[in-house]
Amino acid sequence: MPFILYLLGLAVFAQGTSEFMLSGLVSDIAADMEVSVPAAGSLTSAFAVGMIVGAPLMAVLSLRWSRRRALLGFLVTFLLVHVVGALTTSYAVLLGTRVVGALANAGFLAVALATATSLVAPDAKGRATSILLGGTTLACVAGVPGGALLGQLWGWRAAFWAVALISVPAVVAIARAVPAGPPAATHTGARTELRALRSPRLLVTLLLGALVNGATFCAFTYLEPLSTHVTGIGDAWVPALLALFGLGSSAGVALGGRFADTRPVPLLAGGTAALLAGWSAFALTAGNPAATVAFAFVQGLLSFAVGSTLISQALYAATGAPTLAGGFATAALNIGAAVGPWAGGQAIASGLGYRSPLWVSALLVALALATAAGAAVLARRRTADREEPAPADA
């Protein structure tokens, strides 16, 4: 794999750290900015909304730029807004930096996915994708706890400075190693990319990605209250449990990178079925500490193995629209990441207890399996209709 892919993965690591690190900094930000804790928490929501809206919007915008120009523009913008965020004393300005940073993050990821797959062989999209997504899983394992530690030692602003500094090597590498090239698409090419997005295979893949990622973040968001109130482990062990989920997700991305190019269907079918069984079994055995520890790792592995494979399959399904496919894949995953926790929260608010998000996750995966099965049946019928010979003339 080209070394530039790993440096793009470093940028994705910085962006993933930025997206999730506020979970450990909310109280400090609220106190420093003299706002309520919910107001500080809304900084995370603003980032999520920016990712959902920005992914397709920035992907379309970037089509008129070369990939190097787009990557540099998005990453430098991302870097600068973190500098502004680290310096500002205004909550409104900080909120604005989160939105702009999310837009830049979404655009960068869409173009980076297209760039990564263009730098490898046509049958190596899965491995290239896994390197980029490895940056996100590494952010969960190391970046987010590291940001929280920096916040405890030197204040929340130190975490923003760290994200900006981590982005610098990637900026230099992109400027030197990514070919300048022509714009990703002309006006006519942009229309061609938009037409390529009508592919039924792509639309189904995006829906499956949203459902599977929704299940993942539904369970992950409420892992702390589940483990403390249902499993009965102490608060001190929660970071280790979250890190274990992150380690599983890293292993899952590596597994997806190994098999997504050669055996995607068995991986997706078997992995999704295993996810359904796993979330259901987790819900039934969550009172057992050993089971909770095991499922935290296993479900993280399965979730990201399936999720990363779905992203690579979206790129395979839209080879004529790599940038827009990357943008819409990013949006689909973030829609899932927003809807899943909301659905889990609704289940808890309805009095169903802290196990209920696991059942919601199981339901979302069951919907994904049903969707995939229905799409497969329709595809076979379309194929049979095309192959059926025309009736002979009387």
Side-chain angles (χ1 to χ4, degrees), residues 198-205 371-389:
R198 301 173 187 172
S199 161
R201 177 186 169 192
L202 174 62
L203 297 177
V204 169
T205 302
T371 300
V377 170
L378 289 176
R380 283 197 294 270
R381 286 181 179 174
R382 284 196 297 267
T383 301
D385 290 342
R386 285 196 298 267
E387 293 177 352
E388 183 176 343

Side-chain angles (χ1 to χ4, degrees), residues 84-259:
V84 174
L87 294 172
T88 187
T89 58
S90 166
Y91 171 78
V93 172
L94 183 60
L95 182 65
T97 66
R98 297 306 288 168
V99 175
V100 176
L103 292 173
N105 184 356
F108 180 90
L109 188 55
V111 179
L113 285 168
T115 302
T117 55
S118 72
L119 295 174
V120 299
D123 60 351
K125 289 182 173 65
R127 280 185 292 162
T129 300
S130 72
I131 291 173
L132 291 188
L133 296 184
T136 299
T137 59
L138 185 61
C140 294
V141 175
V144 175
L149 179 61
L150 286 175
Q152 292 173 4
L153 294 175
W154 295 303
W156 65 269
R157 297 175 190 275
F160 278 67
W161 282 116
V163 168
L165 289 173
I166 292 170
S167 303
V168 171
V171 170
V172 175
I174 291 167
R176 297 184 61 180
V178 175
T186 62
H187 183 68
T188 302
R191 290 202 302 266
T192 302
E193 285 220 10
L194 289 169
R195 284 196 296 270
L197 294 177
R198 301 173 187 172
S199 161
R201 177 186 169 192
L202 174 62
L203 297 177
V204 169
T205 302
L206 294 177
L207 177 57
L208 295 178
L211 290 169
V212 169
N213 211 46
T216 302
F217 280 90
C218 176
F220 180 70
T221 300
Y222 301 103
L223 193 57
E224 181 271 327
L226 172 81
S227 61
T228 55
H229 291 83
V230 178
T231 308
I233 69 172
D235 290 341
W237 290 99
V238 171
L241 191 66
L242 296 174
L244 190 63
F245 184 93
L247 289 172
S249 69
S250 294
V253 168
L255 180 67
R258 182 174 180 181
F259 294 106

